[in-house]
Amino acid sequence: MSDAIKHECGIAMIRLRKPTQYYIDKYGTASFAANRLYVLMQKQINRGQDGAGVANIKINTKPGTRYISRYRSIETSAVNDIFDKINKKYKKAKKLGGHDALSDGEWLKEHIAFSGEVWLGHLRYGTHGENSIETCHPFLKQNNWRSRNLVMAGNFNMTNNEELFGKLVQLGQHPKEKTDTVTVMEKIGHFLDEENQRIFDKYKHNHTNEQLTHIIENELDVARILRRSCRDFDGGYAMAGMIGNGSAFVVRDPSGIRPAFYYADDEVIVVASEKPAIKSAFNIDFKAIKEIKPGHALVINKDGSYDESEILPAREKKSCSFERIYFSRGTDPGIYQERKNLGKALIPQILKAIDFDLKNTVFSYIPNTAETAFLGMIEGLDEYLVTKRKEVLLDGKPHVGDLDELLSFRPRVEKLVSKDVKLRTFITSDEDRDSMVASVYDTTYEVIRPGVDTLVVIDDSVVRGTTLEKSILTTLDKLNPKRIVIVSSAPQIRYPDCYGIDMSRMKEFIAFRAAIALLKERKMDNVLDKVYDACIAHPHGNDNHVKEVYSYFTDEEISDKIAELVTSAEIRADVKVIFQTVDNLHRCIPDHLGDWYFTGDYPTTGGTRVVNKAFVNYMEGKTVRAY
């Protein structure tokens, strides 16, 4: 995507279901779980490059033995940094226990950190706030009772964090922060404490406290804890947790907004945000990987048994379609085909934009994630040409040019755009910054016929339009084409996201700025005041009042205005911008219907409140996020 945005975090969990010695004997290494978790995290590095963290829990350790270990890092290669430190623990084993120490599972578990059965990894993209090691997951809530310890990491944003914080205060707590990560962990931690107390009270008259410790650990009802904890949550989430006794869970929001997948056999239970990571780490068939159902939690008990339990009633599934368009790796076979379909679905609009003049048109893409949609676009063009040939050969329809040319013609495909480097424009003056930004992309010269050819360049999405205006169009215009057609495989982004993507301010969206410009051109500024008044009057309502801003214009009118806004006076070529339609989006991605950033139809009431507040912030000149 040319307009880079920060987005979803990534989670990875491994639960070993056999004793440590089993993996040493079968796989010849004491690092079986650590190695697999490393692969799970590296294969999801696209999900978070601001920081990472890993935690590990040992089950059934003796009192006086450390059983929870954690490393976090904000180094440039955070995952490598963490696992280098973990590997040093295993090297230390040789010094402490001799050459055979790495072959003794029980000795390792007793003496070496990160040798336990339950592993949790997290990759962080900081959508808001500071980037420090303290903000990296997993988070810990510690207690001397093993079954009251909680380790949590997640991919989520809550829209009602203020409300959740207030509820903690009402419970008598004094939270140290207002972040949704801390709020969520403290909420779950509160009900974990209550579950411990419930079991303690149930058996306290017939058992000693030492006996009660083991009873609680074995009877802990994790699903019950989550049902009581999650009932007030409003947001998109896939939250993973480990409890000190060795139980673990991954819970997903009722709309299935954030992704979570798992695989289980008699050796391991594995959870990740993306299927290809599990496939790569364990070399299994894609069909063996299951999706955690919306509103459900995969609960792993202390004894290694597991179940997928309903936590909240599932709503209509609204999985984030941006995962499929851009965020998740395209090596997932479903995502790969969906992205190709998105490119193919744009063919009618593209042909219209180039006046069906394929002979004088060159097709390309913005590297690198738009490449798959580009392949689909070219495939669609080939299918169009096959249809036209059939019409001439079988139906006898007239055509321009000779038959040999018709049969041999192929769309002209070139790699016109190359992303060079991340230029450090912060050291330049304001006057020089635009020229520096324009150099982020480079182009291939002398393959375009000046003044003759049209360029069609596909991108995943156009969010802010900044890179398009400052860099891509400037770069392409150097080739002196007759026309430049920018194609977005996603629809127009009109509304903020509040479930994990860094798209929270209305004024940053080029589609919103286009609608505002159209309103002002047509002397309809009163619409903005009308929408503002409605948002102020109903701050907790369930109606998205911002939809009215767009309601006076067709999609094409907004697209044409976007083209105008991103075309500077120096651009000589005619510029047109084409966006995917929402109908095509749903046809291409039928199982992932989350489209609120395109349509304004939020899956939770909190989302609707956020968009109205975001508009109020815009009107009042505030640049803070709306949740």
Side-chain angles (χ1 to χ4, degrees):
M1 187 184 296
S2 55
D3 287 327
I5 57 176
K6 293 185 176 183
H7 53 90
E8 333 297 358
C9 297
I11 56 175
M13 178 182 282
I14 295 176
R15 168 60 154 92
L16 300 180
R17 304 183 77 187
K18 303 279 189 181
T20 304
Q21 194 63 46
Y22 171 90
Y23 304 93
I24 295 174
D25 295 341
K26 181 173 180 178
Y27 297 100
T29 176
S31 305
F32 171 82
N35 292 342
R36 298 307 187 276
L37 189 71
Y38 174 76
V39 175
L40 282 177
M41 294 179 70
Q42 282 289 7
K43 292 298 181 181
Q44 297 183 102
I45 202 71
N46 53 298
R47 305 191 69 84
Q49 296 169 32
D50 289 340
V54 170
N56 177 249
I57 288 181
K58 303 175 184 179
I59 301 175
N60 290 329
T61 56
K62 298 175 183 178
T65 304
R66 183 177 294 275
Y67 57 94
I68 300 178
S69 304
R70 178 183 62 162
Y71 278 141
R72 296 180 292 177
S73 174
I74 54 171
E75 296 296 320
T76 302
S77 300
V79 174
N80 286 335
D81 180 48
I82 288 169
F83 281 91
D84 283 346
K85 292 177 180 176
I86 292 174
N87 287 335
K88 287 179 181 178
K89 297 292 184 182
Y90 286 89
K91 291 179 181 178
K92 180 182 177 183
K94 286 186 178 181
K95 294 181 180 180
L96 292 177
H99 181 73
D100 296 330
L102 292 179
S103 300
D104 188 338
E106 285 300 316
W107 186 91
L108 281 171
K109 188 173 173 180
E110 185 175 348
H111 294 90
I112 302 300
F114 292 98
S115 58
E117 296 88 342
V118 198
W119 294 76
L120 177 58
H122 185 264
L123 297 139
R124 180 177 187 268
Y125 252 134
T127 53
H128 295 283
E130 63 175 328
N131 185 38
S132 65
I133 199 162
E134 286 78 17
T135 58
C136 287
H137 302 200
F139 280 59
L140 299 182
K141 187 175 187 296
Q142 294 181 293
N143 193 287
N144 255 1
W145 286 69
R146 194 160 52 183
S147 55
R148 289 176 184 251
N149 283 273
L150 179 64
V151 185
M152 282 201 64
N155 168 16
F156 63 91
N157 266 349
M158 295 299 169
T159 68
N160 64 333
N161 193 47
E162 287 288 340
E163 176 190 341
L164 295 174
F165 181 84
K167 287 184 179 293
L168 289 178
V169 174
Q170 290 171 12
L171 289 170
Q173 294 193 20
H174 190 91
K176 60 183 180 181
E177 292 181 40
K178 277 193 173 183
T179 61
D180 53 3
T181 304
V182 171
T183 303
V184 164
M185 185 178 69
E186 293 296 342
K187 186 88 183 298
I188 295 175
H190 170 79
F191 288 108
L192 173 62
D193 287 342
E194 285 205 348
E195 175 68 7
N196 271 266
Q197 192 65 46
R198 181 185 68 85
I199 301 172
F200 180 89
D201 291 341
K202 180 180 177 182
Y203 295 105
K204 65 182 180 180
H205 297 298
N206 301 315
H207 298 276
T208 66
N209 282 5
E210 188 174 352
Q211 291 171 331
L212 284 170
T213 294
H214 301 289
I215 293 172
I216 291 170
E217 290 189 2
N218 292 326
E219 291 198 12
L220 212 59
D221 189 340
V222 177
R224 184 175 186 271
I225 295 168
L226 295 173
R227 289 188 192 103
R228 302 182 73 199
S229 305
C230 297
R231 57 193 175 195
D232 298 321
F233 293 169
D234 187 297
Y237 52 86
M239 296 184 292
M242 303 187 297
I243 299 171
N245 70 326
S247 300
F249 63 87
V250 178
V251 60
R252 199 171 176 210
D253 67 84
S255 300
I257 296 170
R258 299 273 70 86
F261 303 91
Y262 76 97
Y263 164 76
D265 60 24
D266 62 342
E267 293 184 356
V268 293
I269 301 169
V270 189
V271 183
S273 296
E274 297 186 27
K275 288 195 289 184
I278 301 176
K279 163 74 174 175
S280 297
F282 291 89
N283 193 29
I284 55 172
D285 195 297
F286 268 107
K287 294 178 181 178
I289 303 170
K290 299 178 181 179
E291 183 178 7
I292 297 176
K293 294 189 286 290
H296 285 64
L298 179 70
V299 175
I300 306 170
N301 300 310
K302 179 185 176 181
D303 63 4
S305 61
Y306 70 96
D307 189 30
E308 195 173 350
S309 303
E310 182 180 86
I311 303 304
L312 295 169
R315 305 190 191 111
E316 181 184 4
K317 190 180 179 187
K318 291 287 185 177
S319 304
C320 175
S321 58
F322 246 126
E323 284 280 357
R324 320 298 288 187
I325 297 167
Y326 170 66
F327 294 145
S328 293
R329 282 180 179 261
T331 49
D332 182 303
I335 292 175
Y336 181 78
Q337 189 57 52
E338 288 164 3
R339 290 180 183 174
K340 287 185 69 176
N341 291 343
L342 287 169
K344 190 182 297 186
L346 288 157
I347 294 303
Q349 290 174 262
I350 293 171
L351 291 171
K352 181 181 177 182
I354 65 173
D355 300 321
F356 293 84
D357 183 9
L358 289 173
K359 185 177 181 180
N360 297 309
T361 301
V362 176
F363 296 89
S364 192
Y365 62 95
I366 305 296
N368 290 315
T369 54
E371 184 176 2
T372 307
F374 170 76
L375 294 175
M377 181 177 71
I378 298 305
E379 193 174 291
L381 287 172
D382 287 337
E383 291 176 3
Y384 166 77
L385 290 170
V386 168
T387 300
K388 302 311 286 184
R389 292 179 186 120
K390 286 181 178 178
E391 289 176 354
V392 171
L393 297 175
L394 301 180
D395 301 336
K397 289 189 176 182
H399 68 283
V400 178
D402 60 41
L403 190 60
D404 285 343
E405 184 181 11
L406 175 69
L407 293 174
S408 61
F409 181 80
R410 293 289 183 274
R412 294 170 61 194
V413 174
E414 303 287 353
K415 185 171 182 179
L416 295 178
V417 182
S418 300
K419 195 167 186 179
D420 260 356
V421 293
K422 292 184 177 179
L423 294 177
R424 308 183 80 173
T425 57
F426 63 86
I427 62 172
T428 67
S429 64
D430 290 342
E431 293 77 13
D432 197 37
R433 185 172 285 112
D434 285 354
S435 63
M436 292 286 287
V437 171
S439 301
V440 170
Y441 287 91
D442 203 353
T443 189
T444 306
Y445 293 93
E446 298 188 9
V447 295
I448 300 302
R449 293 174 298 180
V452 176
D453 287 337
T454 292
L455 308 186
V456 174
V457 182
I458 191 169
D459 195 359
D460 297 291
S461 183
V462 178
V463 185
R464 304 178 185 96
T466 307
T467 308
L468 188 59
E469 176 187 1
K470 303 295 185 183
S471 184
I472 293 170
L473 286 176
T474 301
T475 300
L476 293 174
D477 195 58
K478 293 176 183 177
L479 302 174
N480 196 22
K482 175 183 176 182
R483 181 187 303 156
I484 301 172
V485 180
I486 300 296
V487 183
S488 169
S489 67
Q492 297 167 2
I493 297 173
R494 299 182 171 190
Y495 305 95
D497 182 77
C498 52
Y499 303 122
I501 306 173
D502 186 14
M503 300 192 304
S504 57
R505 300 174 183 89
M506 297 293 300
K507 72 172 186 177
E508 294 183 350
F509 305 135
I510 188 66
F512 180 72
R513 299 205 303 273
I516 297 296
L518 287 170
L519 286 172
K520 291 182 177 180
E521 278 181 11
R522 300 180 188 186
K523 301 188 185 307
M524 299 170 64
D525 302 59
N526 63 302
V527 171
L528 299 178
D529 295 327
K530 179 184 175 184
V531 173
Y532 174 75
D533 290 342
C535 292
I536 291 292
H538 307 285
H540 302 295
N542 296 324
D543 294 324
N544 181 352
H545 301 294
V546 186
K547 286 186 177 183
E548 186 169 350
V549 172
Y550 299 98
S551 65
Y552 301 95
F553 316 111
T554 65
D555 291 354
E556 190 169 0
E557 284 178 312
I558 293 177
S559 294
D560 290 344
K561 179 53 68 174
I562 289 172
E564 184 181 322
L565 292 176
V566 299
T567 305
S568 65
E570 292 75 25
I571 301 296
R572 295 163 295 177
D574 177 42
V575 175
K576 188 169 182 62
V577 180
I578 293 172
F579 288 88
Q580 189 72 260
T581 67
V582 173
D583 286 343
N584 277 344
L585 174 77
H586 291 164
R587 278 194 289 269
C588 296
I589 311 178
D591 299 323
H592 301 267
L593 301 176
D595 61 2
W596 51 92
Y597 15 69
F598 309 128
T599 65
D601 297 329
Y602 288 83
T604 75
T605 55
T608 304
R609 290 195 293 270
V610 165
V611 67
N612 291 331
K613 187 176 180 182
F615 184 80
V616 170
N617 288 344
Y618 165 77
M619 292 292 288
E620 296 178 352
K622 297 176 181 177
T623 58
V624 297
R625 64 171 176 170
Y627 59 95

